């Protein structure tokens, strides 16, 4: 399947009649169409060629694509190309006997060529697209389509496809993806199909059928834990009237815990088994969702193992295995403290965010605000103390600079006093030891 682009051209040379006669010769029906060619009865010629075209499936592999391209080119010359092209596409879904190994690839390439030969806004493209979907489903070739699904909504708009046809395409994609094991893509296209219903169609038999199908996929999917998108769809809301027990079960998985699930099973004994819903899968999913809810409402961000075991109705020995599972499911992030026997929550996913969750968030914000206020007060006190100490140190430094001769401590003053007394004592001793000698006449 190719993305939206310029149509691939088939190069031919000759008038319609000449090419039609050439095609008839190749299919060994030249006598059947000769008169029609002479009368230029275009559609009658094409009908003959299309009826005989399954013979192309036994032609050599190297001639297959060229022969079919010529046939498609002739069909597109008709004003009734839509009706005739549908038969050609249908023929291409039949086995190609000349190439059992490469047959599916040859047919898919030809179908893709037909799709690309049509103008981007040609509504016939939708019919060819649906043939390709059915072909891929039968042959298990969904991966050939998957990369191009991103263009589908654009194509639907260009083709001006009505809601019923859109729904048909989305359901076909969902089935093809499911058969290929792509549960996520299958679920997403079932949701897209549900969104195509008008308000007056949500309780229709088809609407409720698809709604139940989506609900069952969501419940049993090993990767689907968010039910809000599904729960908010009008068709699913209508299940509360047409299939109330199913709707109640969906509500349990969307908003409630394991205890509520067990209570549901008691009140509707045998319902899960009768509807062929895998009890073990449902219990496993419900335990993981319960764990997520427990982590979301824990304000301390630490959950003791005993509390986890009680909520999940398991033994404490199993707690760490469920912690690993819930982290793997990406419902919660955190780490285990085996020494303290607690789970430290780093991040969690809210299953539903309503009035109750807003109140919980408000309480958490209040707690954080009080904690931050206390931290801010402590920091302000510490800052004030540091600034006061800094001011005292600065004043002391300035005082020392202004009075360099004045010692700053009593110990230093005592040492200075002793020094002064010592100097005076020395001078006194020297005066006593060497008294001044007066000059006499004998000195001369």
């Amino acid at each position: 399947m190719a993305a939206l682009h310029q149509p691939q051209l088939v190069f031919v040379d000759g008038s319609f009649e000449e090419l039609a006669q050439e095609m008839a010769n190749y299919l060994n029906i030249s006598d059947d169409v000769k008169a029609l060619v002479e009368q230029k009865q275009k559609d009658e010629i094409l009908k003959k060629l299309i009826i005989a075209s399954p013979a192309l499936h036994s032609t050599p592999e190297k001639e297959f694509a060229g022969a079919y391209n010529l046939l498609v080119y002739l069909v597109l010359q008709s004003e009734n190309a839509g009706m005739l092209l549908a038969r050609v596409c249908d023929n291409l879904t039949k086995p190609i006997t000349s190439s059992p190994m490469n047959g599916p690839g040859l047919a898919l390439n030809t179908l893709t060529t037909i799709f690309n030969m049509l103008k981007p806004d040609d509504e016939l493209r939708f019919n060819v697209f649906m043939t390709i979907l059915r072909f891929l489903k039968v042959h298990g070739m969904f991966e050939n389509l998957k990369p191009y699904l991103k263009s589908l909504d654009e194509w639907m708009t260009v083709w001006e496809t009505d809601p019923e046809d859109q729904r048909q395409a989305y359901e076909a994609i969902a089935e093809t993806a499911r058969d290929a094991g792509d549960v996520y893509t299958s679920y997403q296209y079932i949701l897209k199909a549900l969104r195509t219903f008008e308000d007056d169609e949500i309780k229709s038999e088809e609407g409720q059928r698809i709604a139940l199908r989506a609900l069952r996929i969501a419940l049993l999917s090993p990767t689907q834990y968010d039910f809000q998108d599904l729960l908010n769809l009008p068709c699913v809301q209508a299940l509360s009237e047409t299939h109330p027990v199913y709707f109640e079960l969906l509500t349990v998985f969307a908003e409630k815990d394991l205890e509520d699930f067990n209570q549901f099973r008691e009140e509707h004994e045998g319902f899960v088994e009768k509807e062929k819903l895998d009890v073990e899968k449902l219990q496993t999913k419900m335990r993981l969702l319960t764990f997520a809810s427990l982590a979301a409402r824990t304000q301390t961000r630490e959950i003791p193992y005993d509390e986890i075991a009680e909520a999940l109705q398991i033994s404490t020995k199993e707690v760490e295995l469920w912690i690993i599972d819930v982290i793997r499911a990406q419902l919660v992030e955190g780490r285990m403290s085996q020494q303290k026997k607690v789970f430290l929550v780093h991040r969690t996913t809210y299953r539903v965010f309503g009035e109750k969750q807003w109140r919980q968030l408000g309480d958490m914000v209040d707690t954080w605000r009080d904690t931050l206020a206390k931290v801010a007060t402590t920091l302000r006190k510490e800052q004030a103390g540091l600034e006061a100490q800094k001011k005292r140190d600065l004043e002391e430094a300035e005082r020392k600079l202004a009075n360099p001769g004045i010692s700053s401590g009593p110990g230093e003053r005592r040492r200075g006093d002793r020094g002064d007394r010592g100097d005076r004592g020395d001078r006194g001793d020297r005066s006593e030891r060497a008294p001044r000698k007066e000059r006499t006449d004998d000195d001369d």
Side-chain angles (χ1 to χ4, degrees):
M1 194 66 202
L4 193 62
H5 58 71
Q6 290 297 321
Q8 180 177 335
L9 299 178
V10 176
F11 295 98
V12 293
D13 185 20
S15 66
F16 175 86
E17 289 74 16
E18 292 172 341
L19 295 172
Q21 187 63 61
E22 181 181 338
M23 190 72 200
N25 294 340
Y26 189 81
L27 294 171
N28 296 319
I29 58 169
S30 58
D31 293 339
D32 295 341
V33 302
K34 185 175 181 181
L36 298 174
V37 169
E38 292 174 353
Q39 298 170 16
K40 296 187 177 182
Q41 297 185 27
K42 184 178 293 186
D43 284 358
E44 295 302 319
I45 295 171
L46 291 173
K47 288 177 183 179
K48 292 285 187 180
L49 294 177
I50 292 172
I51 291 173
S53 64
L56 295 176
H57 292 210
S58 59
T59 59
E61 183 177 321
K62 62 182 181 180
E63 298 177 10
F64 179 87
Y68 253 109
N69 285 348
L70 177 57
L71 176 62
V72 172
Y73 173 80
L74 292 171
V75 169
L76 292 179
Q77 308 309 305
S78 170
E79 294 181 357
N80 299 308
M83 178 184 66
L84 299 171
L85 199 59
R87 181 67 182 271
V88 174
C89 291
D90 185 63
N91 286 344
L92 281 166
T93 63
K94 304 296 192 301
I96 299 175
T97 57
S98 64
S99 182
M101 286 285 292
N102 300 323
L106 290 171
L108 180 60
N109 287 340
T110 303
L111 287 168
T112 302
T113 300
I114 295 172
F115 183 86
N116 290 333
M117 287 173 66
L118 297 170
K119 294 180 179 179
D121 60 349
D122 193 329
E123 61 182 17
L124 292 179
R125 269 192 160 198
F126 175 79
N127 298 328
V128 178
F129 179 79
M130 293 302 297
T131 302
I132 291 173
L133 280 181
R134 290 190 293 270
F135 182 87
L136 293 172
K137 183 177 185 296
V138 169
H139 293 278
M141 301 171 69
F142 177 65
E143 290 301 318
N144 292 71
L145 173 71
K146 189 175 179 179
Y148 305 101
L149 290 178
K150 61 184 179 181
S151 302
L152 184 57
D153 289 339
E154 179 185 349
W155 291 343
M156 293 290 188
T157 301
V158 172
W159 301 334
E160 298 181 351
T161 312
D162 61 49
E164 186 175 352
D165 284 342
Q166 290 181 32
R167 186 158 57 246
Q168 181 185 1
Y170 294 148
E171 271 207 277
I173 293 170
E175 292 174 2
T176 308
R178 180 201 61 198
D179 292 348
D182 191 337
V183 179
Y184 174 79
T185 301
S186 177
Y187 179 65
Q188 295 303 314
Y189 276 90
I190 284 292
L191 294 184
K192 289 173 79 71
L194 283 173
R195 295 187 184 105
T196 63
F197 286 98
E198 302 291 342
D199 291 342
D200 59 349
E201 299 175 317
I202 60 175
K203 294 182 182 179
S204 66
E205 182 179 350
E206 185 180 12
Q208 293 303 281
R209 175 184 63 80
I210 299 177
L212 278 177
R213 181 180 172 188
L215 189 154
R216 290 177 62 90
I217 292 174
L219 291 178
L220 297 175
S221 168
T223 59
Q224 185 62 43
Y225 296 99
D226 183 3
F227 298 91
Q228 290 305 306
D229 285 349
L230 179 64
L231 192 60
N232 292 332
L233 291 173
C235 281
V236 176
Q237 288 287 327
L239 290 174
S240 62
E241 299 179 21
T242 60
H243 298 80
V245 181
Y246 258 116
F247 186 79
E248 183 181 348
L249 180 60
L250 175 60
T251 303
V252 169
F253 274 81
E255 303 174 355
K256 300 182 182 180
D257 294 337
L258 180 61
E259 184 176 349
D260 299 292
F261 175 65
N262 292 335
Q263 185 176 348
F264 170 88
R265 291 189 64 199
E266 291 176 3
E267 294 176 355
H268 306 283
E269 187 176 357
F271 174 81
V272 172
E273 292 79 3
K274 180 174 70 69
E275 295 298 319
K276 297 181 180 179
L277 296 169
D278 191 316
V279 176
E280 186 176 351
K281 285 184 178 180
L282 295 182
Q283 285 180 328
T284 297
K285 177 173 282 191
M286 200 69 248
R287 282 193 169 100
L288 294 174
L289 292 170
T290 300
F291 199 141
S293 294
L294 178 62
R297 63 174 177 260
T298 301
Q299 296 187 10
T300 62
R301 315 310 286 177
E302 289 189 1
I303 315 176
Y305 280 12
D306 291 340
E307 189 174 343
I308 296 173
E310 181 181 358
L312 273 57
Q313 300 177 15
I314 57 175
S315 68
T316 53
K317 294 180 180 179
E318 299 176 89
V319 166
E320 292 186 355
L321 294 176
W322 283 96
I323 289 174
I324 294 171
D325 286 343
V326 79
I327 292 175
R328 186 183 293 121
Q330 299 182 357
L331 291 171
V332 176
E333 289 181 6
R335 62 183 179 87
M336 295 178 283
S337 175
Q338 295 177 320
Q339 183 177 7
K340 296 172 64 178
K341 296 293 182 182
V342 298
F343 176 62
L344 307 174
V345 181
H346 296 165
R347 185 194 67 82
T348 187
T349 301
Y350 280 96
R351 294 165 57 196
V352 62
F353 210 90
E355 183 179 351
K356 179 180 178 181
Q357 286 69 36
W358 279 113
R359 286 198 300 269
Q360 290 177 349
L361 180 60
D363 293 341
M364 293 176 66
V365 170
D366 289 341
T367 301
W368 294 338
R369 183 175 58 191
D370 293 342
T371 301
L372 290 174
K374 291 177 182 177
V375 171
T377 300
T378 301
L379 289 175
R380 282 195 293 269
K381 288 181 179 179
E382 290 293 330
Q383 185 178 9
L386 290 173
E387 289 179 352
Q389 182 62 44
K390 182 178 179 181
K391 184 177 180 181
R392 288 194 296 270
D393 292 344
L394 183 61
E395 290 175 349
E396 180 67 16
E398 291 175 348
R399 187 181 66 77
K400 287 182 178 180
L401 290 173
N403 302 286
I406 300 177
S407 57
S408 58
E412 293 181 0
R413 286 196 297 272
R414 285 195 297 271
R415 288 195 299 271
D417 292 344
R418 287 196 302 270
D420 291 346
R421 287 196 299 271
D423 290 345
R424 288 194 298 270
D426 290 344
R427 286 194 298 271
D429 291 343
R430 285 195 299 271
S431 177
E432 292 174 0
R433 287 196 302 268
R436 175 177 288 185
K437 185 177 180 181
E438 294 184 4
R439 183 179 176 82
T440 62
D441 296 333
D442 293 336
D443 292 334
D444 296 328

